[in-house]
Amino acid sequence: MTTTGADHATALTGPWWWVRWRSAVLDVGLALVSALECAAEGIPFARDAGIPVSVGIVFGLLAGSVLVLRRKWPIAVVLVAIAITPAQMGFLMGIVGLYTLAAAELPRRIIVALAGMTFLGTLIVTFVRVRQSMARGDLTLGDWFVPFASLATSLGLTAPPVLWGLYVGARRRLMESLRERADSLERELQLLAERAEERAEWARGEERTRIAREMHDVVAHRVSLMVVHAAALQAVARKDPEKAVKNAALVGDMGRQALTELREMLGVLRSGEAAQRRTTAASVSASVSASVSVPLAAVGVAAAAAASRVAAEEEGPWLSELEVLVGQSAAAGMVVDLSVEGDVRSYAAVIEQTAFRVVQEALTNVHKHAAGAKTHVRLAHRVAEIAMQVENEPPPEPASAAAAGLPSGGNGLVGMRERVLGLGGVFVSGPTDAGGFRVSAVIPAA
């Protein structure tokens, strides 16, 4: 973090009203020089005024030392300089005082008024002194020299310090404005970085939820069918060897399909993690090399894209595989019928995947909780949406699910609801009046 603004002012603190020690040393040095100047000029002033020389010296020392207060009270310093102008002392204090007054953040009317008073005072005193010198014969120039010398001296002692002070003050205010803008930009960059981190964390959470949902859908359905076939295999192994062989082949097919889907998912995850590591390394390198100049919009875009990266790379399942899915459940002993309404057409990949997973998870729940129950699967292709419904009748043997030993984590319905609502659809599930269970979902086609 850069040392700007309030941090800059706090880091550089001097004694009393000075911001820096260097400023304090400079002001004390100028006040010392001004005091010596005024003390030297107090000697002729005391002689002309008919007062003791020591009084003139002490007066000059006191008046000149006022310059040490120029940063604290610049107006007072200029007023003192104007007050001692008739004594022809305090030239350094007047010049430095006007410079400090013009550079300070004071109203322009005050600066103009005090500069005008200094100009008039210097003009009058110079006019009187030059005229007296010409009257005594010290100067033999013409009468034109009196106003010329007065104006030149007044302008020389007033205009340069005022103009230089105005320039330095404007430059100082510009630097402070730039410093404040740098502070504001730094705070904005920190806020953007925090927001990018929050979005990245949100994306990671969404990614974990999506992965858990995919793993649940892939594993639960296949393994449930494998358990059902294994139970049937155990029951008929001795009575009907041919049916046992058929069930064993089905168990093998289910296991291979589950392993294939898991391998595909893990492969996509590995490639996604590698891409994420490359993106993270590039972002860190860019932030180190240009932490202020490079905008952080790319970080937010990368974080927002993280949640959909794996879904974009994944392929299948598709609605065309729905008959195969229903056939697998029928082979496991479920009485299930499939009806399709409307003109069959293709949809976006995420829509077809969501519709397939809803039917798949609903059939898995029937295997778990209502084994042997007759099930109806309905799919309707409408103009602007696709609707699906899986409804099972009451199971013939209520204890069949427990006998099969199929565990339930309670995440199936939650995952289906998240999938459908994420696409702007409607999801409804619950028991029927006849004692069965119904799962319905409607997903927009666009």
Side-chain angles (χ1 to χ4, degrees):
M1 180 180 293
T2 58
T3 306
T4 58
D7 298 335
H8 181 78
T10 305
L12 301 175
T13 55
W16 296 336
W17 58 83
W18 286 285
V19 178
R20 302 176 180 88
W21 280 95
R22 182 179 61 185
S23 302
V25 173
L26 176 62
D27 288 355
V28 171
L30 289 175
L32 181 60
V33 174
S34 177
L36 294 176
E37 177 205 351
C38 292
E41 294 167 346
I43 296 175
F45 167 72
R47 291 172 181 173
D48 294 341
I51 59 176
V53 175
S54 59
V55 175
I57 294 174
V58 173
F59 175 76
L61 289 173
L62 293 177
S65 61
V66 176
L67 189 59
V68 77
L69 304 174
R70 71 182 185 96
R71 297 181 191 268
K72 185 70 173 177
W73 294 298
I75 298 177
V77 173
V78 175
L79 290 176
V80 172
I82 295 173
I84 63 177
T85 299
Q88 285 190 312
M89 62 173 61
F91 294 104
L92 177 62
M93 182 168 61
I95 294 173
V96 177
L98 284 176
Y99 162 78
T100 307
L101 180 71
E105 295 182 2
L106 293 174
R108 291 295 176 87
R109 62 179 183 273
I110 296 179
I111 298 175
V112 172
L114 292 177
M117 292 172 60
T118 303
F119 176 80
L120 291 176
T122 306
L123 178 66
I124 294 172
V125 172
T126 305
F127 183 87
V128 172
R129 292 296 183 180
V130 173
R131 192 174 183 83
Q132 289 176 353
S133 298
M134 293 186 66
R136 289 195 303 267
D138 297 338
L139 296 174
T140 57
L141 299 174
D143 294 338
W144 60 269
F145 183 73
V146 177
F148 173 76
S150 301
L151 287 173
T153 304
S154 301
L155 288 174
L157 295 176
T158 305
V162 171
L163 294 177
W164 181 251
L166 291 175
Y167 167 74
V168 172
R171 184 175 179 273
R172 183 183 302 158
R173 286 188 290 272
L174 176 62
M175 295 301 295
E176 291 177 355
S177 175
L178 293 176
R179 185 178 295 116
E180 291 177 358
R181 291 180 62 185
D183 290 338
S184 177
L185 179 60
E186 188 174 9
R187 288 192 295 268
E188 184 177 355
L189 289 175
Q190 292 176 354
L191 181 60
L192 288 175
E194 292 175 358
R195 290 180 177 176
E197 181 62 27
E198 292 177 358
R199 294 177 65 180
E201 184 63 29
W202 172 82
R204 287 192 291 269
E206 289 293 319
E207 189 73 1
R208 286 192 294 267
T209 302
R210 196 201 66 81
I211 293 172
R213 190 164 53 237
E214 289 291 336
M215 296 290 287
H216 176 272
D217 291 343
V218 170
V219 175
H221 180 74
R222 303 293 185 190
V223 174
S224 298
L225 292 180
M226 290 172 64
V227 172
V228 171
H229 282 294
L233 177 63
Q234 183 180 7
V236 302
R238 297 180 180 178
K239 299 179 181 178
D240 192 348
E242 293 183 359
K243 189 174 183 180
V245 172
K246 183 179 179 181
N247 286 338
L250 290 175
V251 171
D253 291 339
M254 294 294 176
R256 282 187 291 272
Q257 293 175 4
L259 287 176
T260 301
E261 293 186 7
L262 286 175
R263 286 196 194 97
E264 292 176 355
M265 183 175 297
L266 291 177
V268 172
L269 290 177
R270 290 193 185 97
S271 61
E273 290 174 358
Q276 184 178 10
R277 285 195 295 270
R278 290 193 296 269
T279 303
T280 304
S283 301
V284 172
S285 176
S287 63
V288 172
S289 60
S291 59
V292 176
S293 60
V294 177
L296 296 177
V299 179
V301 173
S308 60
R309 183 178 59 251
V310 177
E313 297 179 0
E314 185 179 359
E315 295 184 358
W318 310 102
L319 286 177
S320 58
E321 304 173 12
L322 202 58
E323 293 183 1
V324 178
L325 177 68
V326 172
Q328 292 174 350
S329 296
M334 178 187 295
V335 181
V336 54
D337 63 276
L338 172 64
S339 63
V340 180
E341 302 175 1
D343 297 332
V344 178
R345 63 183 187 275
S346 61
Y347 301 89
V350 65
I351 296 177
E352 294 208 16
Q353 292 168 15
T354 301
F356 184 91
R357 293 302 187 191
V358 168
V359 176
Q360 182 185 58
E361 180 60 27
L363 292 177
T364 302
N365 287 340
V366 175
H367 283 291
K368 289 181 179 180
H369 307 290
K374 187 176 182 180
T375 305
H376 305 275
V377 178
R378 301 181 181 90
L379 184 66
H381 299 274
R382 300 171 183 171
V383 177
E385 61 189 15
I386 178 173
M388 64 225 66
Q389 183 183 85
V390 179
E391 180 179 353
N392 64 272
E393 299 177 358
E397 300 178 4
S400 58
L406 293 174
S408 177
N411 297 318
L413 294 178
V414 175
M416 286 189 283
R417 181 182 298 276
E418 290 177 351
R419 285 179 180 274
V420 174
L421 296 183
L423 297 178
V426 179
F427 180 84
V428 179
S429 63
T432 62
D433 296 336
F437 198 84
R438 181 188 298 118
V439 173
S440 302
V442 179
I443 303 175

